[in-house]
Amino acid sequence: QQQVKQSPQSLIVQKGGIPIINCAYENTAFDYFPWYQQFPGKGPALLIAIRPDVSEKKEGRFTISFNKSAKQFSLHIMDSQPGDSATYFCAASMWGSSQGGSEKLVFGKGTKLTVNP
Amino acid sequence: DVKVTQSSRYLVKRTGEKVFLECVQDMDHENMFWYRQDPGLGLRLIYFSYDVKMKEKGDIPEGYSVSREKKERFSLILESASTNQTSMYLCASSFGMHGSNDEQFFGPGTRLTVL
């Protein structure tokens, strides 16, 4: 119930393409869904996050789509660039409902994205 | 800017050695985390601390212990290193209950090789 399943494991697109990464969860108590981006040699960094009261959130070329009934969320990268090549992790937590001491993120296994020039 | 620093970028140790990985954050965060990252397995939580001297086991605590004597510092200890602990270790911190979200800030990682 605590798992977040992420797919695909790897993805290769051409510059300008729209890669889509999908995640699914089981625990309906999750109320915070972030995406992290990790470049080689660096730690992950928060890219964009969504709460279940909205179905979509955009920040620049990055969009999260959220389907509460299906318990799925996805990351879309519009007009992808070679600089977007990185590993992307989805995650979930029960931040809003936590009692303190339990603000843990459950991470997906990651998607390695390669954007060819 | 939030900064999370880890004591070493690369570390090579021998089987059976006691290993200390240090992490320091400069934003007065309540929560600190240790993860290990392995190809195809993503980020797995080893231990979590939500206050000084407080700790919780994560998903894979076996073979590890932690120490948090000061709010800004969280140490991961491998009591007797084994080859299956060769991995990338990532430290992170977050504001905790008093923050506006659950964003975790990560350090650059320590790549540990156990021979």
Side-chain angles (χ1 to χ4, degrees):
Chain A
Q1 266 224 329
Q2 289 291 83
Q3 282 188 324
V4 175
K5 293 184 179 179
Q6 183 172 347
S7 62
Q9 191 170 356
S10 64
L11 189 54
I12 301 173
V13 299
Q14 292 298 119
K15 178 182 173 183
I18 306 175
I20 300 172
I21 305 170
N22 300 299
C23 285
Y25 64 97
E26 289 295 324
N27 191 342
T28 55
F30 286 145
D31 61 2
Y32 175 69
F33 301 90
W35 286 88
Y36 281 76
Q37 180 187 53
Q38 184 182 28
F39 293 107
K42 305 282 188 183
L46 179 66
L47 180 64
I48 185 173
I50 196 168
R51 298 204 184 275
D53 52 341
V54 296
S55 60
E56 187 175 275
K57 183 174 181 181
K58 288 184 181 180
E59 285 187 5
R61 296 183 293 105
F62 299 91
T63 299
I64 299 178
S65 297
F66 186 80
N67 185 329
K68 190 174 182 178
S69 60
K71 292 184 285 186
Q72 295 175 346
F73 58 110
S74 60
L75 177 70
H76 301 232
I77 305 175
M78 307 301 289
D79 187 27
S80 58
Q81 302 295 313
D84 296 328
S85 297
T87 299
Y88 292 83
F89 294 95
C90 63
S93 77
M94 294 179 279
W95 180 79
S97 58
S98 70
Q99 297 301 309
S102 61
E103 298 88 13
K104 294 181 287 188
L105 288 172
V106 178
F107 283 92
K109 292 186 177 182
T111 297
K112 185 176 180 181
L113 171 66
T114 302
V115 181
N116 289 325
Chain B
D1 272 357
V2 174
K3 196 160 185 183
V4 178
T5 56
Q6 295 183 228
S7 51
S8 305
R9 291 303 303 271
Y10 300 94
L11 209 51
V12 179
K13 295 292 182 181
R14 298 215 172 265
T15 301
E17 280 192 79
K18 190 168 186 176
V19 182
F20 292 86
L21 302 182
E22 305 283 338
C23 176
V24 177
Q25 50 94 4
D26 66 357
M27 277 300 291
D28 201 34
H29 283 171
E30 293 179 357
N31 295 341
M32 296 190 75
F33 308 82
W34 275 107
Y35 296 90
R36 65 177 280 177
Q37 182 175 13
D38 300 287
L41 297 179
L43 297 166
R44 293 182 292 167
L45 183 65
I46 305 172
Y47 267 98
F48 160 51
S49 170
Y50 54 91
D51 200 353
V52 175
K53 297 189 187 294
M54 305 302 288
K55 62 186 180 185
E56 276 191 22
K57 291 181 180 179
D59 301 317
I60 51 165
E62 297 79 17
Y64 304 95
S65 62
V66 290
S67 173
R68 193 168 179 199
E69 297 295 320
K70 293 184 178 181
K71 191 173 186 180
E72 68 271 18
R73 188 179 298 270
F74 192 34
S75 302
L76 180 70
I77 304 154
L78 287 66
E79 294 289 342
S80 178
S82 64
T83 55
N84 63 11
Q85 292 179 309
T86 292
S87 185
M88 171 68 81
Y89 290 88
L90 289 162
C91 175
S93 68
S94 69
F95 282 103
M97 287 179 65
H98 304 296
S100 60
N101 60 41
D102 210 10
E103 180 176 2
Q104 291 187 15
F105 296 85
F106 284 82
T110 295
R111 184 163 294 282
L112 172 67
T113 301
V114 182
L115 302 175

